[in-house]
């Protein structure tokens, strides 16, 4: 028996899902809002049916909030739009499935059965080895989702496309796919497309025979042949020269190619993992990347989260970098002071893990033999950015403070002034964070329940939020 949660402000929808799932032998909980749903899910949930438009927020914008609930449930979105755009929006938010209103019992049963079957398979540990994830540090929900896909990719032979911003660790994930696959004892060969030499790219890929061109003094195996039996990692795939993409596509499909200057083809049994920080779909639309090659690359896509979406991983990553630095330089282990931890957690890290690593290593260097790292040892750009985000200018402070007089010019009592200031503060908080109540409560330093009380107290509940 599974625990099912249905979150919808329409009572008929809640009743239909509850009757359907209950008839299948499952325990069903129902909620009419995001806040109520979070309270009812405290003991763990397996599947959530989540409406899009709720009284206190947008369901799609809160999918991550539900996947972090106890039990890390699968999410099935209930959409009333009945359009391709609504389906696409749901799937792009990482949900398991979507069902359209008006709900049909058969569709609810089918979607729920499939989600539970997938969940049972994912949670099965029979015959599974622990995932090898060398240097991939953290345990945030966003990172765990990516690691689940690594495990799925490693168990198959399909081509893998790893996408994400610069500095998110795409090469580490490519190595993890290889290390957990059946090819782990064979070579992992990396091809950096951004560094390919235009006039020698064919030779670098396919190899050449002696005398094929000036300077070809001996036969040379190309990178595709070197990857025989193992994995070819195509890094910066978006930079693969357009003129070479057709030849590479053929080699990818047939696993056969002709070295430069040779009369005979050779074969290579390689598994392809590609990575890029570019939008290949947009490049294909602009005819800067072959769409047929794109379709071949994206057998399974792993999208890596930016560091700003992995807040709980920041301190463990810092510790990992510090340990590595101290071991490499033979220095005693260093600890992070409170202001150091506060600064790295507040900074957005637009350069992601790569920027964090360089910043922490810089701090370790600046600390010399000191055993403690302080914020002042971080790059000045990091500290300035955090300071500007933390300290409002005088004009902002004046603008934020409510007037001490009423509309008729009569001085307020202290009690009324406090209430007015509190209302203004909560209003600005909601303006900044919208439906993300967790982030708003975190900034305010209060619980979500307390924030909900303040919203109700001052009549600040908004349509769609």
């Amino acid at each position: 028996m599974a625990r099912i949660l249905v979150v919808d402000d329409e009572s008929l929808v809640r009743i239909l899902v509850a009757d359907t799932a209950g008839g299948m032998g499952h325990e069903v909980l129902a909620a009419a809002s995001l806040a109520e749903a979070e309270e009812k899910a405290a003991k763990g949930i397996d599947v959530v049916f989540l409406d899009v438009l709720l009284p206190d927020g947008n369901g799609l914008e809160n999918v991550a909030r539900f996947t972090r609930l106890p039990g890390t449930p699968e999410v099935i979105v209930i959409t009333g739009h009945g359009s391709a755009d609504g389906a696409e929006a749901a799937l792009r938010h990482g949900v398991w499935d979507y069902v359209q209103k008006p709900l049909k019992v058969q569709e609810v049963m089918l979607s729920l059965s499939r989600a539970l079957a997938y969940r049972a398979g994912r949670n099965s540990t029979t015959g599974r080895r622990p995932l090898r994830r060398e240097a991939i540090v953290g345990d945030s929900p966003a990172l765990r989702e990516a690691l689940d896909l690594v495990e799925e990719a490693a168990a198959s032979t399909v081509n893998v496309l790893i996408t994400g911003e610069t500095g998110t660790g795409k090469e580490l994930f490519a190595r993890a796919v290889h290390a957990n696959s059946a090819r782990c004892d064979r070579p992992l060969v990396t091809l950096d497309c951004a560094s390919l030499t235009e006039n020698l790219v064919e030779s670098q890929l396919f190899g050449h025979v002696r005398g094929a061109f000036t300077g070809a003094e001996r036969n040379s195996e190309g990178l595709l042949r070197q990857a025989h039996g193992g994995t070819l990692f195509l890094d910066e795939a978006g930079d693969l020269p357009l003129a070479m993409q057709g030849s590479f596509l053929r080699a990818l499909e047939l696993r056969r190619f002709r070295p430069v200057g040779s009369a005979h083809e050779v074969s290579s049994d390689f598994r392809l993992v590609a990575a890029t920080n570019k939008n290949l779909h947009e490049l294909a639309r602009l005819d800067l990347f072959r769409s047929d090659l794109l379709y071949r690359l994206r057998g399974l896509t792993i999208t890596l989260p930016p560091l700003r979406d992995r807040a709980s991983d920041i301190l463990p990553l810092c510790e990992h970098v510090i340990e590595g630095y101290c071991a490499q330089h033979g220095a005693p282990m260093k600890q992070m002071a409170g202001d150091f931890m506060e600064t790295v957690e507040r900074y957005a890290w637009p350069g992601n893990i790569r920027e964090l690593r360089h910043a922490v290593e810089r701090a370790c260097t600046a600390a010399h033999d000191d055993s403690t790292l302080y914020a002042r040892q971080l790059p000045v750009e990091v500290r300035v950015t955090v300071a500007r985000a933390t300290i409002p200018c005088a004009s902002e402070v004046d603008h934020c403070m409510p007037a001490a007089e009423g509309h008729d010019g009569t001085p307020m009592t202290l009690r009324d002034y406090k209430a007015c200031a509190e209302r203004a503060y909560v209003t600005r908080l909601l303006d900044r964070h919208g439906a993300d109540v967790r982030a708003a409560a975190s900034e305010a330093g209060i619980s979500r329940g307390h924030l909900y009380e303040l919203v109700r107290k001052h009549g600040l509940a908004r349509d769609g939020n």
Side-chain angles (χ1 to χ4, degrees):
M1 180 180 72
R3 286 169 59 86
I4 314 299
L5 172 64
V6 53
V7 189
D8 199 299
D9 58 346
E10 296 182 41
S11 59
L12 290 178
V13 172
R14 297 197 299 270
I15 291 170
L16 186 147
V17 175
D19 286 349
T20 303
M24 297 169 67
H26 303 302
E27 179 185 355
V28 183
L29 304 176
S33 66
L34 295 172
E36 185 183 358
E38 203 159 19
E39 292 176 6
K40 292 197 172 183
K43 293 183 179 179
I45 293 293
D46 296 293
V47 176
V48 177
F49 282 87
L50 179 63
D51 191 22
V52 175
L53 299 177
L54 292 162
D56 55 347
N58 183 297
L60 284 180
E61 294 174 359
N62 285 273
V63 167
R65 177 175 165 186
F66 279 88
T67 57
R68 294 192 203 101
L69 289 172
T72 59
E74 313 304 328
V75 176
I76 299 172
V77 162
I78 302 172
T79 173
H81 301 298
S83 67
D85 289 344
E88 178 182 349
L91 295 176
R92 287 194 182 280
H93 276 78
V95 305
W96 163 255
D97 198 4
Y98 66 94
V99 289
Q100 297 178 6
K101 294 180 180 179
L103 299 186
K104 298 179 177 62
V105 171
Q106 202 62 31
E107 291 179 357
V108 172
M109 291 179 64
L110 183 61
S111 186
L112 178 57
S113 298
R114 288 173 174 171
L116 291 173
Y118 167 77
R119 186 174 178 82
R122 189 186 67 176
N123 292 338
S124 173
T125 57
T126 304
R128 286 170 59 181
R129 299 177 302 171
L131 187 70
R132 298 167 65 181
R133 45 179 290 185
E134 184 178 359
I136 299 177
V137 177
D139 196 39
S140 63
L143 183 64
R144 286 203 305 270
E145 287 179 18
L147 289 171
D148 286 344
L149 290 174
V150 167
E151 195 165 11
E152 184 178 334
S156 71
T157 59
V158 300
N159 298 328
V160 177
L161 178 62
I162 303 174
T163 64
E165 297 176 6
T166 298
T168 49
K170 292 184 286 295
E171 183 169 355
L172 287 179
F173 273 76
R175 292 185 178 278
V177 171
H178 174 74
N180 289 280
S181 73
R183 296 171 178 257
C184 60
D185 294 328
R186 303 294 295 167
L188 170 67
V189 177
T190 299
L191 170 61
D192 183 1
C193 296
S195 65
L196 286 173
T197 308
E198 189 72 32
N199 60 335
L200 293 177
V201 60
E202 192 173 7
S203 171
Q204 290 174 283
L205 284 170
F206 306 138
H208 62 261
V209 297
R210 180 182 177 184
F213 51 84
T214 302
E217 299 178 353
R218 62 177 65 88
N219 291 347
S220 174
E221 276 192 334
L223 295 176
L224 268 63
R225 180 61 188 171
Q226 292 174 24
H228 177 67
T231 302
L232 175 68
F233 174 41
L234 195 69
D235 198 10
E236 305 295 348
D239 292 320
L240 183 66
L242 188 60
M244 280 301 305
Q245 291 178 18
S247 300
F248 182 77
L249 175 62
R250 181 180 183 277
L252 182 59
E253 291 179 335
L254 302 179
R255 296 301 195 270
R256 294 187 62 81
F257 49 89
R258 191 187 309 276
V260 177
S262 174
H264 305 287
E265 288 189 334
V266 296
S267 62
S268 177
D269 172 27
F270 62 89
R271 195 264 179 92
L272 180 68
V273 177
T276 183
N277 63 355
K278 295 184 176 180
N279 186 334
L280 296 187
H281 292 276
E282 181 63 15
L283 292 180
R285 188 185 69 80
L286 297 172
D287 293 328
L288 298 175
F289 197 89
R290 291 182 61 126
S291 57
D292 48 0
L293 177 56
L294 170 59
Y295 301 146
R296 292 289 296 180
L297 293 182
R298 63 176 192 187
L300 186 153
T301 300
I302 302 174
T303 300
L304 302 189
L307 189 53
R308 60 183 173 274
D309 291 343
R310 299 173 49 191
S312 62
D313 292 337
I314 290 176
L315 293 184
L317 280 165
C318 289
E319 292 173 351
H320 175 75
V321 174
I322 294 168
E323 288 175 5
Y325 178 93
C326 294
Q328 180 181 354
H329 293 84
M333 186 61 185
K334 301 179 186 299
Q335 306 298 319
M336 294 179 284
D339 68 335
F340 184 97
M341 292 188 286
E342 196 173 289
T343 301
V344 296
E345 287 187 310
R346 287 184 175 179
Y347 186 61
W349 300 109
N352 296 298
I353 299 170
R354 184 177 297 152
E355 182 186 12
L356 179 141
R357 183 177 68 249
H358 292 161
V360 175
E361 288 178 348
R362 189 264 187 207
C364 290
T365 301
H368 300 296
D369 295 330
D370 292 346
S371 61
T372 304
L373 298 178
Y374 297 94
R376 68 183 304 273
Q377 293 156 340
L378 288 165
V380 67
E381 294 82 4
V382 172
R383 291 182 285 133
V384 166
T385 301
V386 171
R388 290 182 66 87
T390 306
I391 305 173
C393 66
S395 61
E396 289 175 323
V397 172
D398 292 341
H399 176 72
C400 291
M401 292 297 291
E405 297 83 22
H407 294 299
D408 58 358
T410 305
M412 286 185 176
T413 64
L414 179 60
R415 180 190 184 106
D416 290 342
Y417 184 79
K418 284 182 177 180
C420 185
E422 185 179 74
R423 188 180 196 283
Y425 177 83
V426 175
T427 299
R428 291 193 301 274
L429 198 66
L430 297 177
D431 287 341
R432 275 198 297 276
H433 296 285
D436 193 345
V437 179
R438 182 187 297 271
S442 176
E443 179 185 326
I446 59 178
S447 68
R448 290 190 298 280
H450 188 182
L451 181 56
Y452 284 127
E453 288 177 9
L454 293 175
V455 169
R456 285 192 292 269
K457 172 183 174 182
H458 296 292
L460 296 176
R462 308 171 182 186
D463 293 339
N465 286 312

